Short mmCIF file of all heavy atoms in Angstrom, two decimals:
data_model
loop_
_atom_site.label_atom_id
_atom_site.label_comp_id
_atom_site.label_asym_id
_atom_site.label_seq_id
_atom_site.Cartn_x
_atom_site.Cartn_y
_atom_site.Cartn_z
N ILE A 1 206.17 68.87 192.56
CA ILE A 1 207.46 69.43 192.18
C ILE A 1 208.08 68.65 191.02
O ILE A 1 208.65 69.23 190.10
CB ILE A 1 208.43 69.47 193.39
CG1 ILE A 1 207.84 70.33 194.51
CG2 ILE A 1 209.78 70.02 192.98
CD1 ILE A 1 207.01 69.61 195.52
N LEU A 2 207.93 67.32 191.06
CA LEU A 2 208.47 66.50 189.97
C LEU A 2 207.90 66.93 188.63
O LEU A 2 208.62 67.02 187.63
CB LEU A 2 208.15 65.02 190.23
CG LEU A 2 208.55 64.05 189.12
CD1 LEU A 2 210.06 64.05 188.90
CD2 LEU A 2 208.05 62.64 189.42
N GLY A 3 206.59 67.23 188.58
CA GLY A 3 205.97 67.59 187.31
C GLY A 3 206.46 68.91 186.77
O GLY A 3 206.63 69.08 185.55
N VAL A 4 206.71 69.89 187.66
CA VAL A 4 207.22 71.19 187.22
C VAL A 4 208.65 71.07 186.73
O VAL A 4 209.01 71.55 185.64
CB VAL A 4 207.13 72.22 188.37
CG1 VAL A 4 207.74 73.56 187.94
CG2 VAL A 4 205.69 72.42 188.80
N LEU A 5 209.49 70.42 187.51
CA LEU A 5 210.92 70.37 187.18
C LEU A 5 211.20 69.40 186.03
O LEU A 5 212.18 69.59 185.29
CB LEU A 5 211.73 70.01 188.42
CG LEU A 5 211.62 71.04 189.56
CD1 LEU A 5 212.56 70.68 190.70
CD2 LEU A 5 211.91 72.45 189.06
N ALA A 6 210.35 68.40 185.84
CA ALA A 6 210.49 67.55 184.65
C ALA A 6 210.15 68.34 183.39
O ALA A 6 210.76 68.13 182.33
CB ALA A 6 209.59 66.32 184.77
N GLY A 7 209.19 69.26 183.50
CA GLY A 7 208.90 70.14 182.37
C GLY A 7 210.09 71.02 182.03
O GLY A 7 210.45 71.20 180.85
N LEU A 8 210.74 71.56 183.06
CA LEU A 8 211.95 72.35 182.84
C LEU A 8 213.04 71.49 182.22
O LEU A 8 213.77 71.95 181.32
CB LEU A 8 212.43 72.92 184.18
CG LEU A 8 213.78 73.63 184.19
CD1 LEU A 8 213.78 74.84 183.26
CD2 LEU A 8 214.15 74.04 185.61
N GLU A 9 213.17 70.25 182.65
CA GLU A 9 214.20 69.35 182.10
C GLU A 9 213.96 69.08 180.62
O GLU A 9 214.92 68.94 179.85
CB GLU A 9 214.23 68.05 182.89
CG GLU A 9 215.22 67.01 182.37
CD GLU A 9 216.64 67.53 182.23
OE1 GLU A 9 217.08 68.36 183.07
OE2 GLU A 9 217.32 67.13 181.27
N ILE A 10 212.70 69.01 180.20
CA ILE A 10 212.41 68.85 178.76
C ILE A 10 213.06 69.99 177.97
O ILE A 10 213.73 69.77 176.96
CB ILE A 10 210.89 68.84 178.52
CG1 ILE A 10 210.27 67.56 179.06
CG2 ILE A 10 210.58 68.98 177.02
CD1 ILE A 10 208.76 67.54 179.02
N VAL A 11 212.86 71.21 178.44
CA VAL A 11 213.41 72.38 177.74
C VAL A 11 214.93 72.37 177.78
O VAL A 11 215.60 72.65 176.77
CB VAL A 11 212.84 73.67 178.34
CG1 VAL A 11 213.53 74.90 177.74
CG2 VAL A 11 211.33 73.75 178.12
N ARG A 12 215.51 72.04 178.92
CA ARG A 12 216.97 71.99 179.01
C ARG A 12 217.54 70.97 178.02
O ARG A 12 218.56 71.24 177.36
CB ARG A 12 217.38 71.63 180.44
CG ARG A 12 217.21 72.77 181.44
CD ARG A 12 217.45 72.30 182.87
NE ARG A 12 217.68 73.42 183.79
CZ ARG A 12 217.78 73.29 185.10
NH1 ARG A 12 217.65 72.09 185.67
NH2 ARG A 12 218.01 74.35 185.87
N THR A 13 216.90 69.82 177.89
CA THR A 13 217.37 68.80 176.96
C THR A 13 217.22 69.25 175.52
O THR A 13 218.12 69.06 174.69
CB THR A 13 216.61 67.48 177.19
OG1 THR A 13 216.85 67.03 178.53
CG2 THR A 13 217.06 66.40 176.22
N LEU A 14 216.09 69.88 175.20
CA LEU A 14 215.90 70.39 173.84
C LEU A 14 216.94 71.45 173.50
O LEU A 14 217.49 71.49 172.38
CB LEU A 14 214.50 70.97 173.70
CG LEU A 14 213.33 69.98 173.72
CD1 LEU A 14 212.00 70.72 173.70
CD2 LEU A 14 213.41 69.02 172.53
N ASN A 15 217.24 72.31 174.46
CA ASN A 15 218.26 73.34 174.23
C ASN A 15 219.62 72.73 173.97
O ASN A 15 220.36 73.17 173.07
CB ASN A 15 218.34 74.29 175.43
CG ASN A 15 217.14 75.20 175.56
OD1 ASN A 15 216.32 75.31 174.63
ND2 ASN A 15 217.00 75.86 176.69
N GLU A 16 219.98 71.72 174.74
CA GLU A 16 221.28 71.07 174.58
C GLU A 16 221.44 70.41 173.22
O GLU A 16 222.52 70.43 172.63
CB GLU A 16 221.48 70.01 175.67
CG GLU A 16 221.88 70.54 177.02
CD GLU A 16 222.14 69.44 178.00
OE1 GLU A 16 221.75 68.28 177.76
OE2 GLU A 16 222.73 69.75 179.06
N THR A 17 220.35 69.82 172.75
CA THR A 17 220.41 69.09 171.48
C THR A 17 220.11 69.96 170.27
O THR A 17 220.26 69.51 169.13
CB THR A 17 219.40 67.92 171.51
OG1 THR A 17 218.09 68.43 171.81
CG2 THR A 17 219.79 66.90 172.56
N GLY A 18 219.68 71.20 170.52
CA GLY A 18 219.38 72.10 169.42
C GLY A 18 218.09 71.78 168.69
O GLY A 18 217.85 72.28 167.58
N ILE A 19 217.25 70.98 169.29
CA ILE A 19 215.99 70.59 168.65
C ILE A 19 214.97 71.72 168.76
O ILE A 19 214.79 72.32 169.82
CB ILE A 19 215.43 69.30 169.28
CG1 ILE A 19 216.34 68.12 168.92
CG2 ILE A 19 214.00 69.03 168.82
CD1 ILE A 19 215.94 66.83 169.59
N LYS A 20 214.31 72.00 167.66
CA LYS A 20 213.25 72.99 167.63
C LYS A 20 211.90 72.31 167.45
O LYS A 20 211.80 71.24 166.84
CB LYS A 20 213.48 73.99 166.49
CG LYS A 20 214.77 74.78 166.62
CD LYS A 20 214.97 75.71 165.43
CE LYS A 20 216.27 76.50 165.55
NZ LYS A 20 216.49 77.39 164.39
N THR A 21 210.87 72.93 167.99
CA THR A 21 209.51 72.41 167.82
C THR A 21 208.63 73.46 167.15
O THR A 21 208.84 74.66 167.33
CB THR A 21 208.88 72.01 169.17
OG1 THR A 21 208.84 73.16 170.03
CG2 THR A 21 209.68 70.90 169.83
N LYS A 22 207.66 72.98 166.39
CA LYS A 22 206.72 73.89 165.74
C LYS A 22 205.91 74.66 166.79
O LYS A 22 205.76 75.89 166.69
CB LYS A 22 205.78 73.10 164.83
CG LYS A 22 204.68 73.95 164.20
CD LYS A 22 203.73 73.10 163.36
CE LYS A 22 202.59 73.96 162.80
NZ LYS A 22 201.63 73.14 162.00
N HIS A 23 205.41 73.95 167.76
CA HIS A 23 204.58 74.56 168.80
C HIS A 23 205.44 75.00 169.98
O HIS A 23 206.36 74.28 170.38
CB HIS A 23 203.53 73.57 169.29
CG HIS A 23 202.53 73.17 168.24
ND1 HIS A 23 201.29 73.74 168.13
CD2 HIS A 23 202.62 72.25 167.25
CE1 HIS A 23 200.64 73.19 167.11
NE2 HIS A 23 201.42 72.28 166.56
N PRO A 24 205.17 76.15 170.55
CA PRO A 24 205.86 76.53 171.78
C PRO A 24 205.60 75.49 172.88
O PRO A 24 204.58 74.81 172.87
CB PRO A 24 205.24 77.89 172.14
CG PRO A 24 204.62 78.39 170.88
CD PRO A 24 204.19 77.17 170.11
N ILE A 25 206.52 75.42 173.82
CA ILE A 25 206.35 74.57 175.01
C ILE A 25 206.34 75.49 176.22
O ILE A 25 207.24 76.32 176.39
CB ILE A 25 207.46 73.52 175.11
CG1 ILE A 25 207.36 72.53 173.95
CG2 ILE A 25 207.39 72.79 176.46
CD1 ILE A 25 208.51 71.54 173.88
N VAL A 26 205.32 75.37 177.05
CA VAL A 26 205.16 76.23 178.22
C VAL A 26 205.17 75.37 179.49
O VAL A 26 204.37 74.44 179.61
CB VAL A 26 203.85 77.04 178.16
CG1 VAL A 26 203.72 77.95 179.38
CG2 VAL A 26 203.79 77.87 176.87
N VAL A 27 206.08 75.68 180.40
CA VAL A 27 206.16 74.97 181.68
C VAL A 27 205.39 75.79 182.71
O VAL A 27 205.62 76.99 182.86
CB VAL A 27 207.61 74.76 182.11
CG1 VAL A 27 207.67 73.93 183.39
CG2 VAL A 27 208.42 74.08 181.01
N VAL A 28 204.49 75.12 183.45
CA VAL A 28 203.54 75.81 184.33
C VAL A 28 203.78 75.44 185.79
O VAL A 28 204.01 74.27 186.11
CB VAL A 28 202.09 75.44 183.97
CG1 VAL A 28 201.11 76.31 184.75
CG2 VAL A 28 201.84 75.56 182.49
N ASN A 29 203.70 76.44 186.66
CA ASN A 29 203.60 76.23 188.11
C ASN A 29 202.28 76.82 188.57
O ASN A 29 202.14 78.04 188.70
CB ASN A 29 204.77 76.89 188.84
CG ASN A 29 204.56 76.94 190.35
OD1 ASN A 29 203.98 76.04 190.93
ND2 ASN A 29 205.01 78.03 190.99
N PHE A 30 201.29 75.96 188.81
CA PHE A 30 199.99 76.42 189.28
C PHE A 30 200.04 76.77 190.76
O PHE A 30 200.66 76.07 191.56
CB PHE A 30 198.92 75.35 189.06
CG PHE A 30 198.45 75.24 187.63
CD1 PHE A 30 198.80 74.13 186.86
CD2 PHE A 30 197.68 76.22 187.06
CE1 PHE A 30 198.37 74.02 185.55
CE2 PHE A 30 197.24 76.12 185.74
CZ PHE A 30 197.59 75.02 184.99
N THR A 31 199.37 77.86 191.12
CA THR A 31 199.32 78.32 192.51
C THR A 31 198.33 77.51 193.34
O THR A 31 197.23 77.19 192.87
CB THR A 31 198.89 79.81 192.54
OG1 THR A 31 199.81 80.58 191.78
CG2 THR A 31 198.85 80.34 193.97
N ASN A 32 198.73 77.19 194.58
CA ASN A 32 197.82 76.64 195.59
C ASN A 32 197.09 75.38 195.12
O ASN A 32 195.88 75.27 195.26
CB ASN A 32 196.80 77.70 196.02
CG ASN A 32 196.02 77.30 197.27
OD1 ASN A 32 196.60 76.86 198.25
ND2 ASN A 32 194.71 77.44 197.22
N GLU A 33 197.85 74.43 194.58
CA GLU A 33 197.23 73.17 194.21
C GLU A 33 196.79 72.39 195.44
O GLU A 33 195.71 71.80 195.46
CB GLU A 33 198.20 72.32 193.38
CG GLU A 33 197.56 71.10 192.71
CD GLU A 33 197.48 69.86 193.60
OE1 GLU A 33 198.11 69.84 194.68
OE2 GLU A 33 196.78 68.90 193.22
N GLU A 34 197.63 72.40 196.48
CA GLU A 34 197.34 71.58 197.65
C GLU A 34 196.09 72.05 198.40
O GLU A 34 195.34 71.24 198.93
CB GLU A 34 198.54 71.56 198.60
CG GLU A 34 199.78 70.87 198.04
CD GLU A 34 199.58 69.37 197.87
OE1 GLU A 34 198.52 68.85 198.24
OE2 GLU A 34 200.50 68.71 197.37
N GLY A 35 195.89 73.35 198.47
CA GLY A 35 194.71 73.86 199.17
C GLY A 35 194.76 73.69 200.67
O GLY A 35 193.75 73.89 201.35
N THR A 36 195.92 73.37 201.20
CA THR A 36 196.00 73.12 202.64
C THR A 36 195.91 74.42 203.44
O THR A 36 195.33 74.45 204.52
CB THR A 36 197.30 72.35 202.98
OG1 THR A 36 197.29 72.02 204.37
CG2 THR A 36 198.53 73.18 202.68
N ARG A 37 196.45 75.51 202.90
CA ARG A 37 196.37 76.80 203.59
C ARG A 37 195.12 77.56 203.17
O ARG A 37 194.46 78.20 203.99
CB ARG A 37 197.62 77.62 203.30
CG ARG A 37 197.64 78.94 204.08
CD ARG A 37 198.85 79.80 203.77
NE ARG A 37 198.78 81.05 204.50
CZ ARG A 37 199.46 82.14 204.17
NH1 ARG A 37 200.28 82.14 203.13
NH2 ARG A 37 199.32 83.26 204.89
N PHE A 38 194.80 77.52 201.89
CA PHE A 38 193.62 78.22 201.36
C PHE A 38 192.73 77.20 200.65
O PHE A 38 192.85 77.02 199.43
CB PHE A 38 194.04 79.33 200.39
CG PHE A 38 194.83 80.44 201.01
CD1 PHE A 38 196.21 80.49 200.87
CD2 PHE A 38 194.21 81.44 201.75
CE1 PHE A 38 196.95 81.52 201.44
CE2 PHE A 38 194.94 82.46 202.32
CZ PHE A 38 196.32 82.50 202.17
N PRO A 39 191.86 76.51 201.39
CA PRO A 39 190.97 75.54 200.74
C PRO A 39 190.03 76.23 199.75
O PRO A 39 189.70 77.41 199.94
CB PRO A 39 190.18 74.94 201.91
CG PRO A 39 190.98 75.30 203.14
CD PRO A 39 191.65 76.60 202.84
N PRO A 40 189.60 75.50 198.71
CA PRO A 40 189.88 74.09 198.43
C PRO A 40 191.15 73.91 197.61
O PRO A 40 191.85 74.88 197.30
CB PRO A 40 188.66 73.68 197.61
CG PRO A 40 188.32 74.92 196.84
CD PRO A 40 188.60 76.06 197.78
#
C-alpha cells in the first residue's frame, strides 16, 4: 500500500507545485500480488 499511495503523493505534489514532466507518470496497482487467495 505504501508503494501505491507514495506514487499518488508524487502526483499530488507535482500538481501543487505546477511542475510538468516530459514523460507521463503512471501510478500502478497490480492485482493479486500477495497470492494468498489465488496462488502464486
Side-chain angles (χ1 to χ4, degrees):
I1 300 92
L2 175 62
V4 176
L5 298 185
L8 173 61
E9 177 54 36
I10 290 173
V11 173
R12 286 172 163 173
T13 299
L14 290 174
N15 288 348
E16 281 184 346
T17 55
I19 291 175
K20 298 178 180 179
T21 59
K22 175 183 177 181
H23 296 262
I25 295 174
V26 181
V27 185
V28 188
N29 168 35
F30 283 109
T31 302
N32 192 48
E33 191 275 349
E34 294 292 357
T36 185
R37 184 182 178 200
F38 295 101

